Amino acid sequence: MGEDTRSGEDTRRGEGTRSDVYAELAAVGPYGVRPGHALITMVEPHPGHEFAYNRWYEDDHYYAGAMAMPWMYAGRRWVATRELQLLRYPEKSGIAEPVTAGCYLSTYWITEGRYDDHMKWTVGINKRLNRDGRVHRERTHVFTAFQDHEATVYRDGAAGPRDFHALDHPYKGLVLEVVDAEGPRARGELLEWLRDRHLPGVLAGSPAAMVTVFRPTPLPGDRMTYVKQVEGVDTRLTLLWFLQEDPRECWEAHFTGRDAAVAGSGLGRVELVAPFIPTVPGTDLYADQLR
């Protein structure tokens, strides 16, 4: 008496999971492929926990805490070895203290128009993961923000991969650049200058195939307490440069002086320029090169 006599077939049909609702949800709302939103998260595993953190993220969190969620349709992890960390600037960064903090970066695309829907799910699943002991505590969120897409600037016009391909295309490197406008009103001017006047010329002849530009949005009030609230939501822009070369091979020629270029516009200041290379999923490659 009291035994669960349901067949495996009944369980697979989703009894108890409200799976019948999924079909209703699929019939409504936007479902395009444009990356209308992103999650960009730079994290520092605590010393001595580098391998454990990497295995937890690779084996569990990348999937259960990200890719398995509705409307998060593309993702990629990146790593900054110590050699790459030492290329970062400015030394006094408003993002990372010290500027070398945050050796792992994860980037995810979210379907345009589905931010609110995704956030409801992500808050719920992260509460569940936390309750179930599936959260790695020995880490610090250095720069974690959901962001709205503002622009993509392409080096080669209509040729080549689009921004919705960017996290699946085998790019050899990525540069994270964070820029603060002088004030909320100036951010629109800064965005226009970057998109229309500055970035097209910088991209020409460079190893960067595209730059995506995002602006951060506030995290929900019921976020996990170990993730700090986003700063600069009224003034900040986040640029992701997708490279066809290892950033170490092109750093001096193409990425030094980003701070001077932005300052020269009179519209803002660079808070971080940080190079990364892609991780190799399912491995601990580079985990021994972080310190």
Side-chain angles (χ1 to χ4, degrees), residues 160-173:
R162 304 292 86 190
D163 50 14
F164 47 85
H165 299 126
L167 301 184
D168 296 306
H169 187 79
Y171 287 113
K172 294 182 179 180

Side-chain angles (χ1 to χ4, degrees), residues 74-263:
R76 195 160 195 187
R77 292 187 73 215
W78 312 83
V79 61
T81 62
R82 187 63 180 173
E83 182 183 8
L84 288 163
Q85 293 167 35
L86 294 175
L87 296 176
R88 296 180 181 181
Y89 64 90
E91 184 178 354
K92 293 186 180 297
S93 167
I95 303 298
E97 187 179 347
V99 70
T100 53
C103 53
Y104 281 105
L105 179 73
S106 297
T107 52
Y108 303 97
W109 291 165
I110 300 166
T111 301
E112 183 177 29
R114 288 295 191 170
Y115 176 77
D116 291 340
D117 297 332
H118 175 78
M119 288 306 298
K120 290 177 183 178
W121 186 286
T122 194
V123 168
I125 200 65
N126 277 287
K127 286 182 177 179
R128 183 180 180 185
L129 291 169
N130 189 62
R131 185 182 68 238
D132 292 348
R134 289 172 63 180
V135 173
H136 187 88
R137 302 289 182 184
E138 300 298 327
R139 78 196 200 277
T140 298
H141 281 263
V142 177
F143 177 70
T144 293
F146 283 89
Q147 313 223 10
D148 287 342
H149 180 260
E150 286 286 0
T152 300
V153 182
Y154 296 100
R155 182 191 60 199
D156 303 323
R162 304 292 86 190
D163 50 14
F164 47 85
H165 299 126
L167 301 184
D168 296 306
H169 187 79
Y171 287 113
K172 294 182 179 180
L174 176 137
V175 175
L176 168 68
E177 179 179 353
V178 183
V179 182
D180 273 339
E182 293 301 324
R185 286 190 173 184
R187 184 167 66 179
E189 294 179 68
L190 176 61
L191 173 63
E192 181 182 3
W193 175 76
L194 287 167
R195 181 191 62 217
D196 300 334
R197 289 183 279 161
H198 179 66
L199 292 177
V202 174
L203 282 170
S206 83
M210 72 177 83
V211 182
T212 57
V213 185
F214 294 88
R215 59 176 173 83
T217 60
L219 287 169
D222 52 356
R223 70 190 186 282
M224 295 294 98
T225 56
Y226 50 78
V227 181
K228 66 180 181 180
Q229 186 53 273
V230 177
E231 299 173 347
V233 294
D234 295 323
T235 59
R236 186 161 289 168
L237 293 172
T238 304
L239 285 67
L240 299 177
W241 300 72
F242 290 90
L243 309 184
Q244 294 174 317
E245 294 180 12
D246 186 306
R248 288 164 289 199
E249 297 174 2
C250 58
W251 193 254
E252 190 69 27
H254 294 283
F255 288 99
T256 58
R258 294 288 314 140
D259 49 352
V262 173

